[in-house]
Amino acid sequence: MNENKMLQSTSIIIFGATGDLAKRKLLPAFFNLYIEGRMPEQFNIVALGRAEKNDDDFKNYIKENLILFSRNKKAIDTEWEKFQSHITYFRHQIDEDKSYEDLELKLKSLDKAYGLRANRLFYLSIAPNFVSTISGHLKKAELASEPAQDRIIIEKPFGHNKKSAVELNELLSRTFEEEQIYRIDHYLGKETVQNILAFRFGNSIFEPLWNCKYVESVQITVAEEVGVESRGGFYEGTGALKDMIQNHLLQILCMVAMEQPASLDAGEIRDRKVDVLKSIRRIPYDMVDHYAVRGQYAEGVVKDAHVKGYRQEDGVDANSPTETFASIKFYLDNERWEGVPFYVRTGKRMREKQSYITIKFKPLPQSTFIGGQHALSQNKLIINIQPLMDIRLQFMTKMPGLTVELKPVEMVFDYFSCKEDTPEAYETLLLDALEGDLTLFMRSDQVEEAWDVVKTIQEYWENNPDPSFPNYAAGSNGPKQCELLLQREDDSWA
Ligand code: BG6
């Protein structure tokens, strides 16, 4: 949630710098911040990887990937030479003392060149099982010894259930203060997700309607066209519940449902989100089938191309019970949302990539226009997160003409009407981390509560594989039972 601030000199240390995330997201994000003049005046990216590489090879590899993945490609010709001078590749063995001693020397030599002890931003872009090793070594080598200056960014998944998340938090707390830990959920960096707060609390006309008196249901959809691609090995045993719902969808739900924060202070906003997570009614183990639906994609057709089923993907077991689709009906036990269902759904290999929130308002209790030829549609507010980025308000209007005929219409605010190009989520989040702003990052209790919300579903699904898998065709809208979840309440996906 940055403003243009003067940034302290910083050494950015990326663990896993030769991995997918670094080439697709992290380096392009730093590059874009750089060309927009948002990086500190003095900074260096120390890219750590296991492979023996020289600096030039690594830099060429990064340049090739900037051409593929950077939002701004035009600037590569003019800015690359300057940007690349801030990058050093460093061979590193995660579990070797010597590697951390060498890193210490490197960071000290950078400090000497800066003329001060710079801030240190450690980015862990590695498999979750290495977090404890790295954190232990950073402590032992006293590499992150300045709580006011040193920060660590950790990618999801943060643990694989509540117990492991608690353990991981405990372990990190041996090296870092909570204020130094930036647990990333990249959905919170998306422009359209950040705007939910501005939309709700920066306008006077929506907030009075934002409660159980006027809202009938809230629906949150994150549909992806892609399958598991090359991540079959990771995805097996993860599944849609842990990969998407526990983090991204619950965070969106928090933004929609939270009470007004007293200020934009990070602690205050995070407190209000934790309140929401605590208020979500826990689903009893023996009621999971009533509130939750899971699915797994079979082969099918997506955008005219025939694609494999999940069980045929590389790295996936031929009888895999892992879900690639999940949908849940939640209730919030608080005054504002009493009795309002919050439906969330997410899936891979769906008909189209589409993420959006629908707020469905209750029908009018009485209306002059009820009955006869006037089929009144309920008012809806649709917040399109991606790839469409807009806000649509649907309401009824009289058709121009001599007869009185009503029709639903839409009023649309399109982001691109303000700015053609919006920053990538990682740009926003990395800038916040450089500035020390924790607002868009997850606090330890947020992560633990979110795991608690899905705990019974996770256990029930693990203990009871679904014999109907695969139960939806790639390129469809997911399993039929997902429609039934809403039909039981006389509702439908909007
Ligand atoms: C990641 C999940 O967190 O989010 C992926 O691990 C998923 O499985 C991705 O594809 C979706 O992110 P986005 O920004 O493309 O919607």
Side-chain angles (χ1 to χ4, degrees):
M1 296 233 164
N2 34 62
E3 290 146 32
N4 217 344
K5 293 182 187 160
M6 272 292 288
L7 291 175
Q8 308 285 322
S9 307
T10 307
S11 296
I12 298 157
I13 304 101
I14 304 180
F15 289 85
T18 51
D20 215 46
L21 184 74
K23 75 174 187 200
R24 281 172 186 268
K25 299 286 182 190
L26 304 183
L27 270 307
F30 283 124
F31 177 69
N32 282 306
L33 289 173
Y34 179 73
I35 60 181
E36 299 212 350
R38 296 298 200 133
M39 289 299 281
E41 212 164 292
Q42 302 195 103
F43 78 94
N44 271 282
I45 298 175
V46 182
L48 306 181
R50 252 179 316 183
E52 194 69 73
K53 271 185 202 286
N54 67 36
D55 247 17
D56 288 343
D57 289 346
F58 181 74
K59 289 180 184 181
N60 286 338
Y61 157 84
I62 292 302
K63 188 176 179 192
E64 282 160 21
N65 282 294
L66 279 187
I67 295 168
L68 292 176
F69 301 115
S70 171
R71 174 167 69 87
N72 188 334
K73 299 188 196 326
K74 278 197 216 130
I76 299 175
D77 284 346
T78 52
E79 301 297 319
W80 167 253
E81 274 314 310
K82 281 178 270 165
F83 179 68
Q84 63 87 24
S85 68
H86 294 267
I87 304 176
T88 321
Y89 179 78
F90 217 65
R91 188 171 169 270
H92 182 90
Q93 285 295 105
I94 277 174
D95 52 359
E96 236 180 49
D97 284 347
K98 170 84 172 57
S99 281
Y100 293 86
E101 287 156 19
D102 292 347
L103 180 58
E104 157 96 90
L105 292 177
K106 174 73 194 166
L107 295 178
K108 282 199 166 144
S109 77
L110 289 174
D111 287 347
K112 202 163 165 208
Y114 303 139
L116 46 81
R117 163 59 158 85
N119 288 0
R120 292 177 184 174
L121 182 63
F122 296 94
Y123 200 115
L124 270 50
S125 173
I126 37 91
N129 50 322
F130 293 123
V131 174
S132 89
T133 312
I134 294 174
S135 157
H137 275 286
L138 291 179
K139 182 174 174 67
K140 189 167 165 201
E142 296 184 7
L143 283 170
S145 54
E146 298 291 338
Q149 289 192 285
D150 301 335
R151 296 162 197 156
I152 185 165
I153 306 184
I154 301 184
E155 270 294 328
K156 67 177 266 285
F158 196 85
H160 50 90
N161 57 19
K162 182 168 180 191
K163 184 167 172 284
S164 58
V166 171
E167 284 164 7
L168 191 50
N169 280 330
E170 202 280 315
L171 191 139
L172 284 169
S173 72
R174 292 183 213 156
T175 308
F176 298 95
E177 313 270 334
E178 179 60 32
E179 286 64 37
Q180 294 175 271
I181 307 174
Y182 291 67
R183 298 175 192 80
I184 221 164
D185 182 321
H186 77 279
Y187 265 62
L188 294 179
K190 289 185 191 277
E191 198 66 37
T192 36
V193 174
Q194 287 182 65
N195 190 41
I196 299 171
L197 288 198
F199 180 80
R200 286 192 54 198
F201 304 121
N203 293 298
S204 62
I205 57 174
F206 300 109
E207 200 50 23
L209 308 178
W210 215 260
N211 55 54
C212 58
K213 187 163 177 214
Y214 296 102
V215 173
E216 183 174 88
S217 68
V218 176
Q219 303 178 3
I220 301 170
T221 299
V222 177
E224 298 186 88
E225 249 168 50
V226 290
V228 286
E229 303 188 296
S230 56
R231 297 163 75 224
F234 157 78
Y235 201 81
E236 274 290 86
T238 300
L241 184 71
K242 289 193 252 175
D243 188 41
M244 299 291 289
I245 296 214
Q246 184 270 346
N247 35 72
H248 306 325
L249 279 92
L250 282 182
Q251 284 306 308
I252 298 175
L253 188 153
C254 285
M255 304 284 266
V256 174
M258 71 198 263
E259 293 300 318
Q260 175 155 14
S263 68
L264 285 179
D265 173 69
E268 173 68 15
I269 291 183
R270 300 200 298 176
D271 283 348
R272 297 292 75 81
K273 289 187 183 172
V274 173
D275 290 346
V276 174
L277 292 169
K278 285 190 173 149
S279 75
I280 296 179
R281 192 181 303 161
R282 301 319 192 233
I283 297 173
Y285 184 84
D286 57 358
M287 293 293 283
V288 167
D289 277 338
H290 186 78
Y291 287 96
V293 170
R294 58 189 148 157
Q296 186 191 72
Y297 63 84
E299 61 182 300
V301 177
V302 179
K303 292 261 151 81
D304 296 329
H306 181 266
V307 296
K308 294 181 206 171
Y310 176 66
R311 288 177 178 179
Q312 286 78 52
E313 302 275 15
D314 288 345
V316 172
D317 190 285
N319 295 310
S320 172
T322 301
E323 82 284 352
T324 57
F325 176 99
S327 178
I328 306 171
K329 174 167 69 171
F330 289 117
Y331 284 100
L332 275 57
D333 286 327
N334 62 27
E335 209 178 325
R336 183 187 285 269
W337 296 115
E338 191 55 47
V340 179
F342 280 69
Y343 300 103
V344 301
R345 64 175 166 170
T346 183
K348 293 204 181 282
R349 283 282 185 235
M350 306 283 287
R351 194 165 49 84
E352 58 182 332
K353 181 177 169 77
Q354 207 183 13
S355 301
Y356 60 100
I357 305 163
T358 305
I359 314 286
K360 219 175 190 183
F361 292 95
K362 288 186 171 165
L364 285 164
Q366 299 280 338
S367 170
T368 318
F369 296 102
I370 283 178
Q373 77 275 36
H374 308 295
L376 294 185
S377 298
Q378 281 166 253
N379 296 132
K380 284 184 213 113
L381 180 78
I382 298 165
I383 300 174
N384 277 311
I385 298 173
Q386 64 183 29
L388 278 185
M389 293 171 69
D390 61 33
I391 300 181
R392 296 166 183 260
L393 185 61
Q394 295 184 354
F395 56 95
M396 300 300 297
T397 188
K398 178 188 172 298
M399 289 292 289
L402 297 176
T403 55
V404 180
E405 200 182 319
L406 269 62
K407 184 178 173 258
V409 289
E410 273 188 349
M411 215 153 66
V412 182
F413 158 67
D414 186 346
Y415 277 78
F416 296 104
S417 61
C418 292
K419 201 166 186 288
E420 277 171 20
D421 198 13
T422 55
E424 286 263 347
Y426 274 96
E427 291 170 39
T428 304
L429 294 170
L430 289 173
L431 181 56
D432 280 1
L434 285 166
E435 290 177 344
D437 183 344
L438 283 154
T439 314
L440 298 178
F441 295 85
M442 316 267 289
R443 205 170 54 192
S444 58
D445 52 348
Q446 271 176 286
V447 180
E448 290 171 18
E449 278 300 328
W451 278 118
D452 196 63
V453 168
V454 298
K455 185 168 181 284
T456 47
I457 308 170
Q458 196 184 345
E459 287 169 359
Y460 181 83
W461 284 359
E462 273 166 17
N463 295 338
N464 300 279
D466 189 330
S468 73
F469 276 10
N471 59 355
Y472 71 98
S476 70
N477 279 336
K480 270 205 226 63
Q481 295 89 323
C482 180
E483 307 293 329
L484 298 177
L485 196 66
L486 277 76
Q487 279 168 18
R488 280 206 303 266
E489 308 290 335
D490 251 349
D491 207 340
S492 59
W493 290 101

